[in-house]
């Protein structure tokens, strides 16, 4: 799996910001039209660091959001791959861990083989609500947040 792009609408000090992680592609998201464009980077040098190796570095001052970006990427990948049915013991823990992200709009674009996939926090939370209606505490909290 190759990380291609992360869009963050508003999380901590990151506001309406996109992050390109792949040297092979250039992505741009327009939140007004909800349109994502992915274009091949004509200046890309294949296998510059070796076969199937991409290197991305996050550089910034303390407090600029480097750890927040990393946290959002890990959260999206983990929640996307996590199966609550196989791991019911962590059901409430995962649901509570997602609560701060109910109103945070962010998504990750990954490339698996030759296909792009968008992993969206809104879709993950919606899936949990639909699939696990017994999570009343979480659903009540989400409904309250969405009504604000």
């Amino acid at each position: 799996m190759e990380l291609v792009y992360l869009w963050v609408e508003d999380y901590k000090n990151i506001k309406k910001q996109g992050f390109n992680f792949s040297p092979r592609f250039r992505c741009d998201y327009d939140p007004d039209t909800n349109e994502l464009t992915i274009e091949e980077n004509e200046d890309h040098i294949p296998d510059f660091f070796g076969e199937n190796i991409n290197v991305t570095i996050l550089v910034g001052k303390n407090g600029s959001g480097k750890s927040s970006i990393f946290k959002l990427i890990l959260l999206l990948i983990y929640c996307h791959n996590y199966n609550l049915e196989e791991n019911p013991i962590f059901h409430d823990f995962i649901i509570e861990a997602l609560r701060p992200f109910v109103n945070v709009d962010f998504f990750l674009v990954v490339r698996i083989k030759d296909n792009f996939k968008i992993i969206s926090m809104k879709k993950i939370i919606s899936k949990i609500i639909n699939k696990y209606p017994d999570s009343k505490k979480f659903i009540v909290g989400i409904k309250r947040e969405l009504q604000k």
Side-chain angles (χ1 to χ4, degrees), residues 17-36:
Q17 183 67 49
F19 302 90
N20 282 287
F21 293 103
S22 172
R24 184 173 172 189
F25 302 99
R26 289 289 161 240
C27 302
D28 188 44
Y29 175 68
D30 184 340
D32 296 328
T33 61
N34 196 29
E35 198 169 294
L36 173 68

Side-chain angles (χ1 to χ4, degrees), residues 42-66:
E42 295 174 7
D43 297 327
H44 174 253
I45 301 170
D47 301 325
F48 183 79
F49 293 104
E51 191 174 337
N52 293 321
I53 298 173
N54 287 333
V55 176
T56 301
I57 300 171
L58 290 175
V59 179
K61 295 180 180 177
N62 288 345
S64 63
K66 299 179 301 293

Side-chain angles (χ1 to χ4, degrees), residues 90-111:
F90 294 113
H91 184 256
D92 290 337
F93 172 76
I94 295 298
I95 286 173
E96 279 304 312
L98 290 177
R99 185 182 297 278
F101 300 97
V102 169
N103 287 324
V104 178
D105 188 14
F106 59 103
F107 64 84
L108 183 66
V109 178
V110 297
R111 187 167 167 257

